[in-house]
Amino acid sequence: METIASVEKLQSRIEHFRTQMLTVGFVPTMGALHNGHKSLLQIARNQCDVVVLSIFVNPTQFNDPQDFKSYPLTMDEDLSMASAEGVDLVFIPNVQEMYGGNLSVDPVDYGSITKEYEGLTRKGHFDGVVAIVRKLFQAVNSDASFFGEKDLQQLAVIRRLASEEFPNMKIVGCPLVRDADGLAMSSRNIRLDANGRNRALNLSRWLGVLRIAAVEGSDIDAALEGIRMEAAAIENIDLEYVDVVDSTTFATRRGEWKTKGSHAIVAANVDGVRLIDNCAIH
Ligand code: PAF
């Protein structure tokens, strides 16, 4: 496994693989790798000849400077996991390499995909995600890129970016991975203590409530309202949103949730740690 810090060197290594007619799979991350990332690497490994992993904590996608500062860094463990999963190249650029001293990014408007939910509560977040993913896609120029379905709205944004600007690249959405207690795996989970983790389990439980309401055909709006009231009464949970959406457009589904692609989504701050989760309900 080779680690590379410059775009130029990365491109020359990838060019070398291309001359050997090898397919390239790309897994972009911000590090602090967990079993969710491991499954992305395994899926990429199964589908492509060469696997490229990037580790870059992208400053432009953090709307909260405190969140950026406290983002976990576990480089040694990340490299061990990458090597164990058979990654060929790890791209670890610094901010200068990716942004050349200019951290301003263009606003992105993909309609409700960028405006609603994460777009509304984390102003500018998707502008930063699109800016860095575009730069990474240009640098790696992979045949396929792999993203987790935990960040479902991000996946919708990236699918749109790819369809407009990288039409030959396959975007592969990979299933969300949960810990045994049901908590969706996230790099941020290591900032939760035992009590925080218990409180965080409400997120997957609420998704379960919505899923059951959907299966039983009961009133989803009433279930959503019940969850909002319950959350308001729990100390140290600040519910940002809970809703049912179309997973491609991120338009809110009201009444017509019995259509394919309906997903329940939730975001909350638990003890100051921002968590998101989702599940298909139809
Ligand atoms: O999902 C992430 O880890 C990041 O948002 C991504 C796609 C690597 C861009 O920084």
Side-chain angles (χ1 to χ4, degrees):
M1 186 175 84
E2 192 179 349
T3 55
I4 294 178
S6 88
V7 171
E8 203 184 329
K9 184 148 182 232
L10 176 73
Q11 286 176 330
S12 97
R13 294 296 290 130
I14 288 174
E15 203 41 53
H16 170 73
F17 291 127
R18 292 245 174 256
T19 57
Q20 297 174 288
M21 306 297 284
L22 298 174
T23 56
V24 177
F26 177 41
V27 180
T29 75
M30 297 205 298
L33 303 186
H34 49 69
N35 283 346
H37 295 111
K38 190 170 169 176
S39 88
L40 298 182
L41 294 172
Q42 289 171 347
I43 294 168
R45 180 75 283 159
N46 280 337
Q47 294 193 15
C48 299
D49 300 319
V50 172
V51 176
V52 180
L53 163 73
S54 69
I55 299 178
F56 177 67
V57 184
N58 174 35
T60 64
Q61 72 187 75
F62 286 84
N63 54 319
D64 173 1
Q66 194 45 47
D67 192 23
F68 176 53
K69 264 199 196 143
S70 53
Y71 201 82
L73 291 174
T74 57
M75 192 56 85
D76 291 346
E77 291 86 342
D78 292 355
L79 292 178
S80 303
M81 180 190 285
S83 158
E85 295 309 321
V87 168
D88 298 283
L89 297 181
V90 189
F91 180 46
I92 314 177
N94 62 21
V95 174
Q96 177 66 26
E97 182 68 12
M98 294 318 289
Y99 285 98
N102 177 11
L103 283 176
S104 65
V105 294
D106 292 334
V108 180
D109 183 358
Y110 293 157
S112 49
I113 314 177
T114 43
K115 272 203 191 79
E116 305 297 338
Y117 303 104
E118 292 296 288
L120 203 63
T121 53
R122 301 183 71 189
K123 288 264 179 261
H125 169 64
F126 287 131
D127 302 340
V129 169
V130 167
I132 192 61
V133 172
R134 179 186 287 123
K135 285 175 192 289
L136 290 167
F137 280 180
Q138 284 163 349
V140 180
N141 187 24
S142 60
D143 297 284
S145 295
F146 299 80
F147 293 87
E149 286 175 353
K150 182 174 91 54
D151 293 299
L152 195 68
Q153 192 167 359
Q154 169 174 280
L155 178 60
V157 169
I158 286 162
R159 284 194 194 286
R160 175 73 179 265
L161 168 73
S163 74
E164 289 186 4
E165 300 179 31
F166 304 89
N168 297 326
M169 187 192 293
K170 187 168 138 200
I171 301 297
V172 183
C174 306
L176 184 156
V177 180
R178 295 183 185 281
D179 275 320
D181 59 6
L183 190 65
M185 286 194 184
S186 161
S187 304
R188 292 184 167 91
N189 291 354
I190 53 178
R191 287 166 45 205
L192 294 167
D193 64 16
N195 288 333
R197 192 176 170 100
N198 265 335
R199 271 189 284 277
L201 290 177
N202 282 298
L203 273 72
S204 51
R205 190 174 58 75
W206 289 328
L207 294 176
V209 168
L210 292 170
R211 208 180 154 85
I212 289 167
V215 170
E216 289 178 346
S218 48
D219 184 349
I220 291 274
D221 284 333
L224 287 168
E225 217 23 63
I227 291 168
R228 289 181 189 122
M229 282 170 62
E230 196 189 321
I234 305 176
E235 233 179 275
N236 291 334
I237 289 196
D238 178 13
L239 180 67
E240 286 188 5
Y241 59 75
V242 58
D243 221 329
V244 175
V245 298
D246 174 317
S247 61
T248 309
T249 62
F250 268 76
T252 310
R253 283 203 162 154
R254 285 274 170 274
E256 12 73 273
W257 58 266
K258 284 187 187 163
T259 321
K260 199 168 163 12
S262 289
H263 266 73
I265 56 169
V266 63
N269 268 287
V270 179
D271 292 358
V273 181
R274 191 171 189 283
L275 302 172
I276 59 175
D277 199 349
N278 72 82
C279 77
I281 66 161
H282 206 271

